Amino acid sequence: SAVISQKPSRDICQRGTSLTIQCQVDSQVTMMFWYRQQPGQSLTLIATANQGSEATYESGFVIDKFPISRPNLTFSTLTVSNLSPEDSSIYLCSVGGQGPGQPQHFGDGTRLSIL
Amino acid sequence: DAKTTQPPSMDCAEGRAANLPCNHSTISGNEYVYWYRQIHSQGPQYIIHGLKNNETNEMASLIITEDRKSSTLILPHATLRDTAVYYCIVREYSGYALNFGKGTSLLVTP
């Protein structure tokens, strides 16, 4: 399975600032996914990022708040903008899962805390 | 994708088999059953998946009932490191995203 690296692993940010999270994969993948895991909760999909096209956002998530880039087949970034305490979560990148039965694989996430 | 139901928590003694049930009574013919687990402070780890037949790999076994309305993940010899939240997810074969429910929190005790 693909090796997925996320940076930073954790950060503490001030309200009103932004944080960009990087996701690097050791092989080319068509689809990458960004999830959020709020404290004590399960994972929620934010968006699907395909190389060469605009990201597709799930209900409740908007591009202005969570802009995503996908410049090539091994890299993606998620920016969390205008940070507020409600954005304190773990943000996870995953890849794969395309095609019949293929599983997704996850990075270890970015733990974000807002002061 | 079909909804799944799992018990919120389970205990298992170290060295014994852990049997984690999942109900997916509305599953359709082209939907797979996936199991992931999440150990504290880590990303979800893929365990196993299946469509109709029982499956086994180095981590676990997946038993799917004949009507496919439920399944059981079996960890044959649970260790303390198997303590985690286990998620049962049903996804269409051509689908992409995974819809995570609340999962089962498994505690393996000495």
Side-chain angles (χ1 to χ4, degrees), chain B residues 36-54:
Chain B
Y36 283 78
R37 72 181 182 184
Q38 188 173 26
I39 297 170
H40 184 62
S41 298
Q42 297 182 18
Q45 178 188 23
Y46 164 75
I47 301 174
I48 199 167
H49 74 282
L51 181 62
K52 296 180 183 178
N53 301 322
N54 298 337

Side-chain angles (χ1 to χ4, degrees), chain B residues 1-103:
Chain B
D1 295 332
K3 182 181 171 66
T4 62
T5 304
Q6 298 178 252
S9 64
M10 294 182 64
D11 292 345
C12 178
E14 187 177 21
R16 304 295 295 269
N19 297 283
L20 292 89
C22 179
N23 181 284
H24 32 79
S25 58
T26 61
I27 193 170
S28 62
N30 62 354
E31 289 182 317
Y32 285 73
V33 180
Y34 296 81
W35 283 84
Y36 283 78
R37 72 181 182 184
Q38 188 173 26
I39 297 170
H40 184 62
S41 298
Q42 297 182 18
Q45 178 188 23
Y46 164 75
I47 301 174
I48 199 167
H49 74 282
L51 181 62
K52 296 180 183 178
N53 301 322
N54 298 337
E55 303 287 345
T56 295
N57 63 21
E58 65 278 3
M59 290 183 67
S61 295
L62 173 61
I63 308 299
I64 303 175
T65 58
E66 190 170 343
D67 63 7
R68 302 208 323 123
K69 293 184 177 182
S70 66
S71 61
T72 301
L73 178 75
I74 301 173
L75 309 178
H77 305 287
T79 70
L80 299 179
R81 289 177 295 179
D82 292 321
T83 292
V85 178
Y86 288 77
Y87 296 98
C88 168
I89 302 168
V90 169
R91 195 198 77 181
E92 187 178 317
Y93 79 93
S94 61
Y96 303 118
L98 296 170
N99 292 317
F100 284 81
K102 297 185 184 299

Side-chain angles (χ1 to χ4, degrees), chain A:
Chain A
S1 62
V3 176
I4 303 160
S5 301
Q6 276 189 244
K7 290 182 180 179
S9 59
R10 60 178 62 233
D11 207 340
I12 301 172
C13 298
Q14 298 284 341
R15 295 184 192 209
T17 63
S18 299
L19 177 71
T20 296
I21 302 166
Q22 299 179 2
C23 180
Q24 179 75 52
V25 189
D26 68 343
S27 59
Q28 294 185 339
V29 294
T30 304
M31 304 191 75
M32 297 178 77
F33 307 87
W34 288 98
Y35 290 80
R36 180 177 73 181
Q37 187 171 28
Q38 294 178 299
Q41 303 296 314
S42 187
L43 282 77
T44 302
L45 180 67
I46 298 172
T48 301
N50 292 342
Q51 193 270 336
S53 63
E54 295 289 326
T56 302
Y57 289 83
E58 297 298 303
S59 175
F61 297 96
V62 295
I63 188 170
D64 289 346
K65 176 67 175 178
F66 299 98
I68 289 172
S69 78
R70 182 78 201 274
N72 57 52
L73 290 173
T74 63
F75 187 79
S76 177
T77 66
L78 169 73
T79 298
V80 188
S81 304
N82 190 24
L83 291 167
S84 69
E86 294 72 34
D87 296 319
S88 295
S89 297
I90 301 173
Y91 293 87
L92 298 120
C93 167
S94 76
V95 304
Q98 178 183 7
Q102 294 304 303
Q104 286 184 24
H105 297 279
F106 289 79
D108 275 338
T110 295
R111 187 179 298 271
L112 174 60
S113 299
I114 312 303
L115 294 178

